[in-house]
Amino acid sequence: MLKIAVPNKGSLAEAATNMLRAAGYRQRTDPKDLTLVDSVHDVEFYYLRPRDIAVYVGEGHLDVGITGRDMLLDSGARATEVMPLGFGGSRFRFAAPAGRSHDVAALAGKRIATSYPGLLGRWLGEHGIEANLVKLDGAVESAIRLGVADVVADVVDTGTTLQRAGLEVFGEPICASEAILIRRDEATEPEGLASLRTRLESVLVAQNYLMMDYNVAEPDLEATTALASGVNGPTVSRLAEPGWMAVRVLVPRRGAHLLMDRLFEAGARGIILTELSAVRL
């Protein structure tokens, strides 16, 4: 039975659960449940703190897990990324009081507050910068105002929280993070991982495509199918009304509404866009 670690709270939890559910797996309905067995698919889910998942997987207690790339790198666990999952995107950045000139090269000797000492320490070492790390558990925005740090290094989504604290980011991102699927380093691929990966990939593909249906008079069929040819060509069938055709085609999500405009101009009518939960191409 494949043992899968899933975030039990935080920004990754809901999206991870929704993705697994879209991939066809059972998921817990009570947030107090710590485990759930999906016997149909021969998997068992463990709901854990996102920061602990890499450790459990790296030590071999669980087969795979969903966590953030930043948390994996910070943990130093013997685990590796299998695939990105397309949600939970963020940047790990330096920040300091706004209105001043800041340079990464001037970090040497500074006090840097962070909740990710492993990730930051590794980055500083790679860049030959010696600084004093101040490890804090949780939000670090107040560290400078309270006098315990000169600079902070933290996960930045929109940057609003830092701005409210009078801080601004500087320098290039230390790490570009998102939710990822991980497994143990140098271990035999666990049974069931290939199926899990295929199912998750099908959800990712579905996020980039929509199903489009429309009706079109037969003389305009060629013009409309030229605009939206699909992956292996559209599905075309005759309607009960003579001279009219029904078309179904997979289209990219990006630009879908512009495509609707063009199809309508080309003669398509009754155009419908439908969300998809999973697609295997």
Side-chain angles (χ1 to χ4, degrees), residues 195-215:
S195 177
L196 171 65
R197 187 165 54 233
T198 298
R199 284 169 173 257
L200 294 178
E201 287 171 349
S202 73
V203 176
L204 289 174
V205 173
Q207 292 172 357
N208 294 316
Y209 286 89
L210 295 168
M211 183 62 72
M212 178 176 284
D213 293 271
Y214 63 87
N215 299 333

Side-chain angles (χ1 to χ4, degrees), residues 147-230:
V148 299
D150 306 302
V151 177
V152 300
D154 200 14
V155 173
V156 178
D157 185 5
T158 63
T160 302
T161 303
L162 292 175
Q163 292 173 4
R164 288 174 178 169
L167 306 178
E168 63 182 7
V169 298
F170 66 93
E172 293 298 317
I174 302 166
C175 169
S177 184
E178 66 178 301
I180 59 175
L181 181 69
I182 64 172
R183 54 168 289 192
R184 189 182 184 191
D185 277 339
E186 301 175 358
T188 302
E189 180 170 311
E191 184 177 351
L193 175 56
S195 177
L196 171 65
R197 187 165 54 233
T198 298
R199 284 169 173 257
L200 294 178
E201 287 171 349
S202 73
V203 176
L204 289 174
V205 173
Q207 292 172 357
N208 294 316
Y209 286 89
L210 295 168
M211 183 62 72
M212 178 176 284
D213 293 271
Y214 63 87
N215 299 333
V216 63
E218 193 165 0
D220 297 323
L221 176 63
E222 185 175 350
T224 59
T225 55
L227 289 171
S229 58

Side-chain angles (χ1 to χ4, degrees), residues 42-61:
D42 200 30
V43 297
E44 185 172 9
F45 295 100
Y46 292 79
Y47 298 91
L48 305 168
R49 292 179 68 249
R51 280 183 170 272
D52 295 336
I53 287 175
V55 176
Y56 282 108
V57 173
E59 292 299 318
H61 300 296

Side-chain angles (χ1 to χ4, degrees), residues 77-128:
R78 294 177 295 175
T80 188
E81 180 174 335
V82 174
M83 61 180 289
L85 298 178
F87 64 88
S90 64
R91 297 290 186 271
F92 193 66
R93 305 288 300 271
F94 289 112
R100 305 179 192 176
S101 178
H102 303 290
D103 188 348
V104 173
L107 290 174
K110 299 290 186 180
R111 299 170 299 164
I112 308 177
T114 185
S115 299
Y116 295 79
L119 171 58
L120 179 58
R122 190 175 300 108
W123 187 93
L124 292 172
E126 292 171 353
H127 290 77

